[in-house]
């Protein structure tokens, strides 16, 4: 018959004692109140795409934290379901735009999609024992008698009293909290950590009973409480033990190699496995050593991991290492006396034992950790459980996962906070470096805390990624968004998705379309709010792009001179450029509202050289697309910019082929390049009218802006505007190498979020990885970029975290509308 266990609040029940006595703040007490642990939540970080140097930095931080703690510890890596309900509630609070109803419908479509995918994220707890680690019996006795005998007797009396009466002195409780604060100080010197909240510990306990089924409902109503009262021995604290026991609301049946747990969410079938011996020699970074990151993130279902480590001080570790050397030598001698002689394994064993001894006797005198790592798997049926166990074993490859018979309940308890190892025979002596190399804090993390659903990571966990268009401004970071990739990889679809979501938030949008393939402005709900301005040689639009009207004040003169100079013949004399500069300066100083037509008139009133320049520019002022840049001071500007969306199709605008050196541009190509800048400044002019409103400027063929200093200066102006006035430029381009040109650092100062889609050229791949700050020689990343198909990309968020993600347009009708590939549904 299977053995049944339950944790119950009645003292006379024949039940397994609850492993946790009570919890106060982030302090966890076992059945013996003197055995206290402090629980902390470690911040996870993106890891997979990092260069080796940054991975080594994370390894060093974890190593330093473990050595600085100098205590027994427990590391728990637990998946937490991404809250779809919180996503709904957050957007309901954020969306107050005119399109609120449609925006909520759009968010609800995301929520239904995410409910089907059951996404997960990782939460990492480090639980540290607050008493000094025990070395051996002799060391324990020697430390005990170092103190005054009366203090030792007082401590013994308090221990007996708390064991019998389940009370704790208030002063002792404060001492425990003070020790927990000191531990936090040591930990925070190396890692981003905070004390765990009681409600988080409650969630950690309760979710163990419904593992594989979902998340328990934890609302803080049953957080642990305590009564403080006076007694003749001073203030003591009596925990309400029933509160913690209520968390353990489950009935556990032990069935040999698995558990059947009746929980608040139904019946959970659970299997608990223990890792066997680790490889003796492996390199870092490598999936073979990143045992708390690589394997769990590769699986399509969540698993819980726990590492219980007993701290062995250097003195004790050296004695153990010497004994290991003696054992290895004896085995080698026995093999040498045999007929076959010493084996390779025997020789390797002696070398490894001596290497360990040399490591422990180094100047840093490092400790060892007697460690056991366990895996917990849950499912809603016994059949599904067995399938998941097999997949988990495959994920860990050469490392054997044992499934001990009769120890399943002990391993179940081992996953609760404040617990040491509950099974014997599976521990291994590891260095701090080996434990840190397991990378418990590594995760697939990217995106924003708010905003709409963007897509999911390309890991087994498929963690959802959200993106908040205003995050750059809100966090005082760069606001510009760059998407780069080959044709058909998803750049335009992403830009239209972001513009649609900005529209739902009520943002002011200027959409510049050089290829004429955007469909965002044609959507049924968007079309009534769109003004379309086709840039053509129309007298009604004359002066709309005049740089003296639309350029920022600090760029007005330079941009105007650059524009007028490029209109002149390539063989023009230097005196012509000087005449232009003089005329522009004079007009700006004397005219209240200067225009380029004023400059032409000023040139006509000058000397012979100026008159020749004025006659040449007058031709451009009254014909072709260039007339858009010559405003008549006596005529009011065209009535544009009154709608929420301004669409600017510029398909016929002349321009060079991507990659053409600037010195080889033709006259029309130089003019087209200048008009592109004027269009960007016109967009800034439109957006600058509403400082407090979110504004989005979308521009395809962004290499035209990024490939020369003037364009980068313009982007810097957009950047400054973005930080103070909620303006977000979205730049798309096919080529990244032309945008670098030795200016990687300056581009880093210009760009916020970056999306790198699939690449077809080796040089483009190299440039893209440099732009992301990654290792351009990383063969794995290069292969991924070459293989990415539509919607898959490397995403660098506003915080600099890089992850491989799949951008998703959840609504099929929108996906069809946004697609720019003919015939694709």
């Amino acid at each position: 018959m299977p053995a049944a266990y339950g944790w119950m609040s009645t003292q006379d029940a024949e039940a397994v004692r609850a492993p946790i006595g009570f919890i106060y703040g982030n302090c966890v007490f076992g059945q013996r109140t003197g055995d206290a642990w402090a629980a902390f939540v470690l911040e996870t970080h993106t890891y997979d795409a990092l260069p080796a140097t940054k991975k080594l930095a994370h390894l060093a931080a974890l190593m330093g934290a473990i050595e600085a703690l100098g205590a027994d510890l427990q590391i728990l890596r637990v998946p937490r379901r991404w809250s779809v309900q919180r996503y709904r509630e957050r957007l309901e609070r954020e969306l107050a735009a005119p399109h609120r109803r449609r925006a909520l419908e759009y968010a609800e479509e995301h929520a239904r999609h995410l409910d089907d995918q059951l996404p997960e994220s990782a939460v990492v707890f480090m639980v540290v024992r607050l008493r000094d680690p025990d070395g051996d019996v002799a060391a324990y006795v020697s430390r005990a008698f170092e103190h005054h005998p009366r203090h030792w007797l007082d401590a013994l009396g308090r221990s007996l009293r708390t064991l019998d009466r389940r009370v704790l002195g208030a002063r002792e409780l404060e001492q425990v909290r003070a020790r927990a604060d000191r531990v936090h100080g040591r930990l925070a010197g190396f890692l981003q950590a905070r004390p765990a909240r009681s409600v988080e510990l409650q969630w950690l306990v309760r979710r163990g009973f419904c593992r594989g089924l979902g998340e328990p409902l934890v609302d803080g109503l049953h957080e642990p409480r305590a009564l403080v009262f006076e007694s003749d021995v001073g203030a003591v604290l009596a925990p309400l033990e029933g509160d913690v026991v209520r968390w353990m609301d489950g009935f556990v049946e032990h069935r040999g190699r698995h558990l059947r747990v009746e929980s608040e969410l139904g019946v959970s079938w659970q299997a608990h496995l223990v890792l066997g011996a680790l490889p003796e020699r492996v390199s870092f970074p490598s999936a073979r050593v990143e045992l708390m990151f690589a394997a769990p993130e590769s699986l399509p279902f969540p698993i819980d991991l726990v590492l219980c480590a007993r701290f062995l001080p250097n003195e004790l570790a050296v004695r153990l290492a010497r004994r290991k050397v003696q054992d290895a030598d004896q085995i080698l001698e026995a093999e040498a006396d045999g007929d076959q002689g010493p084996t390779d394994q025997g020789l390797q064993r002696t070398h490894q034992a001596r290497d360990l001894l040399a490591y422990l006797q180094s100047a840093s005198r490092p400790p060892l950790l007697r460690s056991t790592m366990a895996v917990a798997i849950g499912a809603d049926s016994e059949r599904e459980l067995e399938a998941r166990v097999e997949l988990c074993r495959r994920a860990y490859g050469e490392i054997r996962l044992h499934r001990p018979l009769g120890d399943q309940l002990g391993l179940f308890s081992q996953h609760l906070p404040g617990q040491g190892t509950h099974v014997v025979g599976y521990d291994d002596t590891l260095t701090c470096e080996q434990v840190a190399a397991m990378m418990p804090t590594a995760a697939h993390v990217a995106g924003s805390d708010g905003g709409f659903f963007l897509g999911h990571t390309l890991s087994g966990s498929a963690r959802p990624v959200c993106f908040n268009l205003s995050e750059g401004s809100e966090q005082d970071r760069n606001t510009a968004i760059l998407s780069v990739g080959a044709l058909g990889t998803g750049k335009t679809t992403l830009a239209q998705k972001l513009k649609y979501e900005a529209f739902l938030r009520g943002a002011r949008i200027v959409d510049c379309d050089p290829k004429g393939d955007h469909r965002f402005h044609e959507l049924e709900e968007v079309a009534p709010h769109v003004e379309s301005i086709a840039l053509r040689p129309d007298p009604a639009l004359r002066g709309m792009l005049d740089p003296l009207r639309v350029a920022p004040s600090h760029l007005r003169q330079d941009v105007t001179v650059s524009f007028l100079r490029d209109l002149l013949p390539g063989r023009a004399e230097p005196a012509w450029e000087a005449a232009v500069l003089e005329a522009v300066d004079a007009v700006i100083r004397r005219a209240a509202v200067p225009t380029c037509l004023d400059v032409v008139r000023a040139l006509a009133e000058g000397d012979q050289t100026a008159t020749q320049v004025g006659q040449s520019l007058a031709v451009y002022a009254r014909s072709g697309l260039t007339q858009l840049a010559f405003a008549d001071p006596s005529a009011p500007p065209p009535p544009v910019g009154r709608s929420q969306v301004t669409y600017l199709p510029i398909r016929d605008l002349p321009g060079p082929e991507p990659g053409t050196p600037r010195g080889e541009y033709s006259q029309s190509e130089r003019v087209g390049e200048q008009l592109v800048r004027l269009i960007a400044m016109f967009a800034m002019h439109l957006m600058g009218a509403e400082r407090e409103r979110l504004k989005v400027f979308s521009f395809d063929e962004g290499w035209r802006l990024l490939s020369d200093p003037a364009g980068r200066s313009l982007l810097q102006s957009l950047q400054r505007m973005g930080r103070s006035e909620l303006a977000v430029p979205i730049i798309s381009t096919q080529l990244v190498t032309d945008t670098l040109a030795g200016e990687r650092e300056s581009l880093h100062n210009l760009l916020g979020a970056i999306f790198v889609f699939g690449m077809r050229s080796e040089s483009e791949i190299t440039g893209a990885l440099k732009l992301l700050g990654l290792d351009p020689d990383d063969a794995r990343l290069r292969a991924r970029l070459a293989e990415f198909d539509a919607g898959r990309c490397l995403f660098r968020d506003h915080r600099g975290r890089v992850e491989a993600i799949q951008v998703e347009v959840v609504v099929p009708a929108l996906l069809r509308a946004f697609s720019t590939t003919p015939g694709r549904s």
Side-chain angles (χ1 to χ4, degrees), residues 474-633:
E474 294 169 357
Q475 301 296 327
D476 195 26
R477 300 175 185 269
N478 294 340
T479 61
I481 299 169
L482 173 68
S483 63
V484 58
L487 284 170
T489 53
K491 303 184 303 298
T492 303
T493 299
L494 169 67
Q496 293 186 95
K497 169 183 166 64
L498 295 180
K499 284 181 291 187
Y500 180 71
E501 292 167 354
F503 170 80
L504 295 180
R505 293 183 58 182
R508 178 75 173 90
I509 300 169
V510 180
D511 182 12
C512 187
D513 183 7
K515 295 184 292 186
D517 57 358
H518 294 184
R519 298 292 178 266
F520 152 72
H521 62 286
E522 298 177 356
L523 294 174
E524 181 180 356
E525 59 268 42
V526 179
H529 306 276
V530 175
E531 59 178 356
S532 181
I533 304 174
L535 298 182
R536 60 189 184 277
D538 186 349
L541 300 176
R542 178 175 290 134
M544 186 180 71
L545 302 181
D546 193 314
L548 289 174
R549 282 186 172 178
V550 301
S553 57
H554 65 285
L555 293 177
R556 182 182 301 167
Q557 181 167 345
D558 292 339
V559 170
T560 304
V561 171
S562 175
F563 170 69
L564 296 176
R565 182 187 58 205
D566 277 355
L567 294 181
L568 300 175
R571 61 183 183 279
E573 300 175 1
W576 286 33
E577 183 176 344
V580 170
L581 179 59
E582 183 179 355
V584 170
D585 182 64
V587 168
I588 289 177
R589 282 188 286 105
R590 74 187 182 195
V593 184
T595 69
C596 282
L597 194 57
D598 284 334
V599 175
V600 174
R601 292 170 178 172
L603 287 168
E605 298 172 357
D607 56 19
Q608 182 178 1
T609 300
T611 302
Q612 290 178 339
V613 175
Q615 291 174 350
S616 178
L617 292 178
V619 177
Y620 292 101
R622 60 175 179 264
S623 63
L625 286 174
T626 52
Q627 66 180 299
L628 301 177
F630 291 86
D632 187 344

Side-chain angles (χ1 to χ4, degrees), residues 671-710:
V671 172
E673 182 185 44
Q674 292 294 339
L675 288 175
V676 165
R677 295 178 193 165
L678 296 183
I679 291 168
M681 283 182 283
F682 174 65
M684 291 176 61
H685 177 70
L686 292 179
M687 296 188 298
E690 301 173 272
R691 293 178 58 90
E692 302 301 324
R693 186 181 187 183
L694 177 64
K695 298 167 284 293
V696 173
F697 167 53
S698 174
F699 191 86
D700 268 356
E701 303 297 328
W703 59 271
R704 292 190 177 188
L705 289 179
L706 297 173
S707 59
D708 70 297

